[in-house]
Amino acid sequence: MTRHIRHAAFFCALLMIALLVNAARIQLFKARTYDDNIANRRTTIARYGQPRGDILVDGRPVTGSQDTGEHLRYERTYTNGPMYAPVTGFASQMYGTTLLEATEDGVLAGTDPLLSPFPVWSGAARDRHPGGDVATTLRGAAQKAAFEGLEGRKGAVAAVEPSTGRILALVSAPSYDPSALSGNGSSVPRSWSTLNRDRDKPMLNRAVRKTYPPGSTFKVVTAAAALDAGVIEDVDKPTRSPDPYTLPGTRTRLTNASEGCENAALRKAFEWSCNTVFAKLGVEVGAERMAATAQAFGFNRADLRIPYSVARSTFDREVDRAQLALSSIGQFNTRATPLQMAMVAAAVANGGQVRTPYLVERTTRAGGGTVSTAGSSPVRQAMRPSTAARMKELMVDVVREGTGTGAWIPGATVGGKTGTAQHGLGNSGTPYAWFVSWAQGDHDAEPKVAVAVVVEDADPDRGEISGGGDAAPIARSVMEAVLKSPAPRAP
């Protein structure tokens, strides 16, 4: 009998060891597989079982969490949702997360190991902590000015601080309210379907996810390339440019909207946006140098994140001379996001240096302790400082007495460039109205803001569709808001 008891005890011990080994295997090696299994509701219930951290503008939350008392307890709420949607994105119990809600989800949902005082152990244990906060670089006053400026129109605005790369405003219109997608009720799928069927694509972030032909605003890049290459040495010397200009190797004649462009000096050609002068300059600079300068400004870069991804702005390297002429005035295959064109204006304002743009200033724990800060952004030299100084003069002339007088601000120095971009089959679409600019208050040591505005549905009743008439007033209101708002608090 004793022998049988020993065998039974030994067998039970083996079973216990097997159970412990299996439990260890599941908890240590297979836990992630079970966590990620679509049938496992525990992770989802835990995710929405506590309030989500907030996204901050000027130190104040533009998001919140509402206790529904349901199985998935907390739903996301948004303050001024349509105004901030191109920044926050949405956090939906049914459709996941986008934009900052997605890229900063670990901090906001409380799963980032850095939220723990002991991040190494927390990462291994997969603990959930109270959601942290994400402080953005936005200026609320600038965001509001951009949003109200585009009200009832289709387009986008991007504003950056030239010396740092901080994004001060990012607006896309038409927009939508992310709150409509937050919960899991029957209204959420209906809202999702309505938004996705809308021809105006309100969920498309036009400021960073859509590229446009930049039109004459690209002449900033072409002028910089011509000055750096030595094709232009004196901005007041005639350029020997015919009007009209026959595109090389073709019978196509390029004309101007303004008079007096024949043989115009670069200063006057820039001031009155002479197509013929800049098309010829692009050909003289050459495709390789033009592409190199465009790339230095940020074109053809596929890895830009702010922290969510930005569509690649393009300048085609493989072009013949006629195509190069059109590319150099922002047409043919040249395309840019509004954020990219704000970077172009910022480079001029910042002595030729391009700062990589960013949207998150810092992340913090629920108690206020800092998790991470933005740090200094990389610098790239887009043009020589002497070229940037000349470009600043040219852009100031545009606002003082050229096509951009609608952007003038009393008590400040403002530089700008207008643009009208043709598009559609046979250029049949309503032209896009562009304006890029920068501003420096009379008492400021350096330019404080650079802005790009594009209006897709420019109003033909205002006369000739132009960046000066349709986009410049919006840029002016954004620049005024930045110049008048107090400096942000240090992180």
Side-chain angles (χ1 to χ4, degrees):
M1 179 65 71
T2 303
R3 183 168 60 87
H4 292 301
I5 292 174
R6 285 201 305 268
H7 287 171
F10 181 71
F11 182 68
C12 289
L14 285 177
L15 291 177
M16 182 63 70
I17 292 171
L19 286 173
L20 291 173
V21 169
N22 188 55
R25 181 183 68 88
I26 290 174
Q27 293 183 18
L28 296 178
F29 302 105
K30 301 290 289 184
R32 184 66 65 187
T33 301
Y34 289 113
D35 283 345
D36 296 338
N37 192 300
I38 193 171
N40 182 10
R41 297 278 291 167
R42 292 181 60 195
T43 302
T44 303
I45 292 170
R47 177 181 178 84
Y48 298 109
Q50 67 178 28
R52 192 169 171 83
D54 285 320
I55 296 172
L56 311 179
V57 175
D58 294 334
R60 294 183 293 271
V62 296
T63 59
S65 295
Q66 177 183 351
D67 189 347
T68 65
E70 298 179 358
H71 203 46
L72 302 182
R73 185 170 174 181
Y74 287 95
E75 290 182 6
R76 194 58 149 165
T77 62
Y78 295 88
T79 303
N80 295 321
M83 185 165 78
Y84 290 106
V87 174
T88 63
F90 61 75
S92 171
Q93 293 179 357
M94 297 185 71
Y95 300 109
T97 56
T98 59
L99 304 183
L100 279 189
E101 293 278 29
T103 58
E104 303 300 323
D105 184 66
V107 171
L108 297 168
T111 58
D112 191 324
L114 294 177
L115 294 174
S116 169
F118 308 102
V120 175
W121 167 252
S122 178
R126 294 182 294 277
D127 293 338
R128 185 178 295 273
H129 307 279
D133 294 337
V134 175
T136 69
T137 59
L138 295 180
R139 298 278 190 95
Q143 186 79 1
K144 182 179 180 182
F147 184 74
E148 292 179 349
L150 281 173
E151 186 175 6
R153 313 186 77 173
K154 193 185 302 182
V157 179
V160 300
E161 186 175 64
S163 62
T164 63
R166 290 187 179 98
I167 297 175
L168 306 179
L170 205 66
V171 169
S172 176
S175 189
Y176 71 103
D177 188 352
S179 297
L181 303 175
S182 293
N184 55 24
S186 59
S187 64
V188 174
R190 289 198 299 269
S191 297
W192 177 261
S193 179
T194 299
L195 288 169
N196 280 284
R197 288 199 312 266
D198 193 326
R199 291 183 177 181
D200 288 336
K201 299 181 178 179
M203 288 197 295
L204 172 63
N205 190 339
R206 289 171 162 82
V208 298
R209 294 279 174 84
K210 182 174 181 180
T211 59
Y212 302 83
S216 292
T217 58
F218 190 79
K219 292 171 183 173
V220 175
V221 178
T222 303
L227 287 165
D228 268 358
V231 172
I232 295 290
E233 295 181 349
D234 185 347
V235 297
D236 294 306
K237 184 178 179 180
T239 55
R240 299 181 182 177
S241 304
D243 184 10
Y245 172 62
T246 302
L247 299 179
T250 76
R251 295 181 179 180
T252 303
R253 302 203 306 172
L254 187 66
T255 59
N256 299 292
S258 303
E259 296 181 356
C261 289
E262 183 175 1
N263 296 327
L266 181 63
R267 187 186 302 277
K268 286 299 177 184
F270 193 85
E271 187 177 318
W272 294 104
S273 203
C274 296
N275 289 331
T276 52
V277 174
F278 285 92
K280 181 174 177 288
L281 283 178
V283 172
E284 292 175 348
V285 171
E288 185 175 345
R289 280 182 176 268
M290 280 296 303
T293 300
Q295 185 166 326
F297 276 100
F299 284 78
N300 297 331
R301 180 178 176 182
D303 62 345
L304 180 60
R305 303 184 67 86
I306 61 170
Y308 49 82
S309 62
V310 177
R312 185 169 69 104
S313 299
T314 58
F315 184 87
D316 200 338
R317 289 178 175 272
E318 304 298 326
V319 289
D320 60 30
R321 297 176 75 222
Q323 293 165 342
L324 176 59
L326 294 176
S327 297
S328 300
I329 59 172
Q331 297 288 169
F332 187 57
N333 287 339
T334 304
R335 299 189 68 87
T337 62
L339 179 60
Q340 173 60 66
M341 294 313 298
M343 291 166 61
V344 169
V348 173
N350 195 40
Q353 292 185 334
V354 179
R355 288 278 187 179
T356 301
Y358 66 97
L359 189 53
V360 174
E361 193 70 71
R362 64 191 180 280
T363 58
T364 63
R365 299 181 180 89
T370 298
V371 175
S372 66
T373 57
S376 59
S377 60
V379 180
R380 187 172 58 253
Q381 195 73 33
M383 65 190 117
R384 294 197 303 260
S386 59
T387 295
R390 288 181 176 179
M391 292 305 307
K392 287 182 74 171
E393 292 178 13
L394 298 180
M395 293 183 76
V396 168
D397 288 344
V398 169
V399 174
R400 283 179 176 170
E401 52 190 32
T403 56
T405 54
W408 179 73
I409 299 173
T413 301
V414 180
K417 183 70 189 78
T418 56
T420 304
Q422 304 293 332
H423 69 100
L425 185 63
N427 292 333
S428 59
T430 301
Y432 298 140
W434 276 94
F435 192 73
V436 300
S437 58
W438 53 267
Q440 177 177 348
D442 287 348
H443 301 291
D444 294 328
E446 59 188 5
K448 293 299 183 183
V449 58
V451 183
V453 178
V454 61
V455 178
E456 294 185 28
D457 51 355
D459 187 358
D461 292 337
R462 297 188 181 189
E464 181 188 352
I465 295 172
S466 70
D470 295 279
I474 300 173
R476 179 188 63 220
S477 64
V478 174
M479 292 186 292
E480 284 182 316
V482 173
L483 293 177
K484 292 178 180 179
S485 63
R489 292 174 293 180

